Every structure is written in structure tokens, then in C-alpha cells.
Amino acid sequence: VAPRIAWAVELLGLEADDRVLEVGCGSGAAVALVCRQLEALGGSGPGGVGSVVGIDRSATAIGRAVARNAEAIQAGRARFEQVDLAGFDPVGRSFDLAFAVNINVFWTGSADAECEVLARALRPGGVVHLVYDGPGLEGARDVGPAVVGNLARHGFRADVRRGVGGLLGVSGRLG
Ligand SMILES: C[S@@+](CC[C@H](N)C(=O)[O-])C[C@H]1O[C@@H](n2cnc3c(N)ncnc32)[C@H](O)[C@@H]1O
């Protein structure tokens, strides 16, 4: 598992019945790790009710993620949707946690549509973690303040933390 993904999932601090949303799931490696942890926490019996939804706007990514997580999908633990975050409709679902790894939209502009969707998808008190690889990816630009500001305009109390190897995380709690 890549360090950025291991750290993002560690930040979630998963509990057995958490409902989790991953934005920009790519080929589904983080979803697979979340499923393994939810299973370990809840066992294989009916007590383990946690679940994860992975969304990505790329059909190729979703195809790979579905193939990688076939068993978890079968078990009702994982689900994937091909959709851009701005167009994602939570339709009555309420997530405890959301996360995204290396998703640029949160710092390249205002990300108003995207943050608004996150604020609707999470329950009150829900938390989003946005993780970025270090300087290699964003040309040494510190994206933390931009991400914090964008989340703050949509009701999140956000702060920045640093992980090993230049990883940067912004965590925002709703309400
Ligand atoms: C750089 S990759 C990162 C993939 C994975 N999170 C990882 O760390 O390996 C970005 C992925 O997010 C998807 N993506 C980027 N912006 C998105 C958005 N606004 N809504 C949905 N998917 C998005 C892309 O299609 C791509 O699969």
C-alpha cells in the first residue's frame, strides 16, 4: 500500500459501523484497505455493518476499482459510482467520514460545488480528510491554506497536518 493511502486511511480512525465516502478512488486501493479494516473491526458476521462508497469521474478508474474490490462489493461492503464529485447526489445517504487522496480540485480554485456536496453528504459532525503527496506533486506549493479556506466557507472547521515523507493532510469537521 502506498504511504499516502496508508496515511489517509489511518487518519480516518475507522470504527466498525462507519459509512465512508472516497472521492477520486482511482483503482480502488484505498477502498480495499478500508474494507479490510472494517472487516477486522466488525468481524465477518452481521455486526460489521460499516461500508464504503468510492466515486471517480473516470470510467477506466471505476472499472479497475470494481475488479479489485469484487468480493467486498459482493458482500455489500463496497460500492462504486462513476461521477464527478460536483455532480454526486448523496440521495438520503449520510456519511460519517469522507476522504480523498491527491485530488487537486480542492486547491486549484474555489471548489465551491465540491465542498457543498461534501457538506451535504456528511452527517453533522462528520469529518473529511484530504491528503496530498509532498512537493513532488504540487511543485512545492503549500496547498494547505487554500484547502482550509475552501472548506471553511462551507461550514468545516479545518486544519493542516503533516505526515512522513512530505505528506500533507487537511482535516475538516462539519459543524
Ligand atoms: C491523481 S489520481 C489519484 C487516485 C487515488 N486517489 C490515488 O491516490 O492513487 C486522481 C483520481 O481522481 C479522479 N478525480 C479527480 N478529480 C475528481 C473529481 N472532481 N470528481 C471525481 N473524481 C475525480 C481522477 O479521475 C483520478 O482517477
Side-chain angles (χ1 to χ4, degrees):
V1 177
R4 67 181 186 284
I5 286 172
W7 192 52
V9 174
E10 186 186 321
L11 289 178
L12 293 176
L14 285 169
E15 294 183 13
D17 58 354
D18 277 335
R19 297 151 300 170
V20 183
L21 172 68
E22 184 187 7
V23 177
C25 62
S27 60
V31 166
L33 182 56
V34 167
C35 286
R36 283 202 295 278
Q37 291 198 4
L38 287 175
E39 271 156 36
L41 286 164
S44 52
V49 292
S51 62
V52 53
V53 173
I55 68 168
D56 201 294
R57 63 187 174 200
S58 152
T60 307
I62 290 296
R64 290 193 181 127
V66 164
R68 187 197 285 252
N69 291 279
E71 238 175 75
I73 294 170
Q74 188 75 26
R77 198 177 281 290
R79 210 188 125 79
F80 292 94
E81 294 178 33
Q82 188 202 337
V83 63
D84 192 287
L85 175 59
F88 177 63
D89 187 354
V91 280
R93 288 172 289 186
S94 178
F95 295 91
D96 302 294
L97 296 163
F99 73 106
V101 183
N102 284 345
I103 303 305
N104 293 345
V105 70
F106 295 106
W107 62 267
T108 50
S110 71
D112 279 323
E114 289 78 7
C115 292
E116 204 269 320
V117 169
L118 282 181
R120 251 190 309 129
L122 284 164
R123 67 163 166 81
V127 178
V128 60
H129 299 280
L130 304 174
V131 165
Y132 295 93
D133 261 325
L137 193 74
E138 277 94 32
R141 177 173 166 184
D142 181 2
V143 304
V147 178
V148 167
N150 285 341
L151 286 173
R153 282 198 317 284
H154 294 270
F156 290 90
R157 280 181 290 119
D159 53 29
V160 177
R161 61 187 88 194
R162 304 271 169 185
V164 292
L167 288 170
L168 180 141
V170 178
S171 301
R173 182 178 293 275
L174 194 57

